[in-house]
Amino acid sequence: MNKIVIEESEIGDYIIDNICSFSNKSTIDNRDFYHHSSSYEAASSICDNGLLSLNELNDRNIVNYSENFLKSMSDTDSHINGVDGISLCLLGLTDLYEDEPVFDPTNPKHVDFLLSKNIKAGRNSLHYGNEYIAEHSIGNDKIRYIDIRILKCINLYLNNDCKFLRLSKEELICMYNYLRKIANSIKLNNLDVLLRERSYSDNICLDLDKIIKSPELVLKKNY
């Protein structure tokens, strides 16, 4: 596997330059989609296996959760989706109460999966007014777009404005390396999915082949 070792001072410029070089085309799509937020680490697994409940992930040995953990997560008063449901949200709802909390899937630290509305899901506004729960697994064929916002994370990091996101140089490198895994999973599974960089509301699609061919980043150790 190709690797490139970089200094801490080079992280921001290197990742920004590379992501800009991955830019392929712009697309406009105003349809409504369900959103699902994922960590960068889990995103490629979602591309491989679709969206699965905690129980399904455990049953398929994708993860190894303890019985105590699953029992604690099964309390739907604190964890709305429990161990059998999958949490989704919709944006742009017009029936929310004033000041009702809504879930924002555009947090730049997470990967935003946009899914077909052809999914059976019920609304549950106990925690968020725009939250929905799907009671069954969601195949990867339902994924329409995968949105990232790494450029925004980089700019927050460079401007020392990471108080709320708590971003570190190691996390930025991991996000970039996981992006390579996401692109590879889309390609290997032959998914009809567009991978987009949407830090600043642009629908900029990224070239999967260019991402896959880019080297893995390794932070230089200073002894």
Side-chain angles (χ1 to χ4, degrees):
M1 181 183 294
N2 294 331
K3 296 182 180 181
I4 184 169
V5 179
I6 62 173
E7 300 273 0
E8 178 182 352
S9 60
E10 300 173 337
I11 294 173
D13 288 340
Y14 182 89
I15 295 179
I16 289 174
D17 288 345
N18 268 24
I19 288 183
C20 289
S21 73
F22 299 153
S23 297
N24 188 1
K25 60 182 179 179
S26 297
T27 181
I28 299 176
D29 196 313
N30 296 319
R31 291 176 296 170
D32 292 330
F33 296 94
Y34 281 117
H35 292 253
H36 177 82
S37 289
S38 160
S39 68
Y40 272 81
E41 183 178 6
S44 61
S45 178
I46 291 175
C47 293
D48 293 335
N49 304 291
L51 288 164
L52 304 174
S53 68
L54 295 181
N55 270 340
E56 288 175 306
L57 287 168
N58 211 48
D59 290 344
R60 296 191 190 187
N61 295 317
I62 297 172
V63 296
N64 185 22
Y65 294 133
S66 68
E67 288 187 15
N68 286 337
F69 173 79
L70 290 174
K71 184 177 180 180
S72 67
M73 296 298 291
S74 66
D75 181 3
T76 54
D77 288 333
S78 57
H79 303 93
I80 299 302
N81 51 300
V83 293
D84 295 311
I86 298 165
S87 180
L88 310 170
C89 77
L90 285 178
L91 297 180
L93 296 177
T94 59
D95 60 350
L96 299 170
Y97 297 112
E98 185 177 359
D99 298 325
E100 187 173 9
V102 295
F103 183 81
D104 181 8
T106 67
N107 183 323
K109 201 172 180 179
H110 298 150
V111 178
D112 182 14
F113 283 82
L114 282 71
L115 311 168
S116 165
K117 286 289 291 293
N118 187 24
I119 293 171
K120 187 176 181 181
R123 194 168 184 178
N124 189 322
S125 57
L126 182 61
H127 287 176
Y128 297 103
N130 62 337
E131 188 167 13
Y132 289 73
I133 303 298
E135 300 295 341
H136 302 283
S137 62
I138 300 171
N140 58 10
D141 62 311
K142 301 298 184 184
I143 304 171
R144 296 293 178 263
Y145 297 97
I146 300 175
D147 289 350
I148 63 162
R149 293 170 173 84
I150 292 180
L151 293 181
K152 189 169 185 178
C153 288
I154 291 290
N155 285 326
L156 290 170
Y157 176 80
L158 293 177
N159 293 323
N160 296 315
D161 190 16
C162 297
K163 180 171 64 173
F164 299 107
L165 293 180
R166 299 178 183 175
L167 285 165
S168 66
K169 56 184 179 294
E170 291 83 6
E171 283 182 289
L172 292 174
I173 288 178
C174 284
M175 290 168 75
Y176 180 85
N177 288 334
Y178 282 130
L179 176 63
R180 298 169 63 254
K181 291 186 177 182
I182 295 168
N184 194 52
S185 291
I186 294 173
K187 196 81 172 180
L188 288 176
N189 288 285
N190 196 28
L191 300 181
D192 185 18
V193 170
L194 293 179
L195 178 59
R196 304 187 296 187
E197 216 311 325
R198 298 204 65 195
S199 289
Y200 303 104
S201 299
D202 297 321
N203 297 324
I204 302 300
C205 296
L206 302 179
D207 189 298
L208 299 180
D209 292 323
K210 289 181 179 178
I211 298 173
I212 294 168
K213 292 175 182 176
S214 67
E216 177 184 355
L217 294 190
V218 178
L219 182 64
K220 183 177 181 179
K221 296 181 179 179
N222 294 315
Y223 297 99

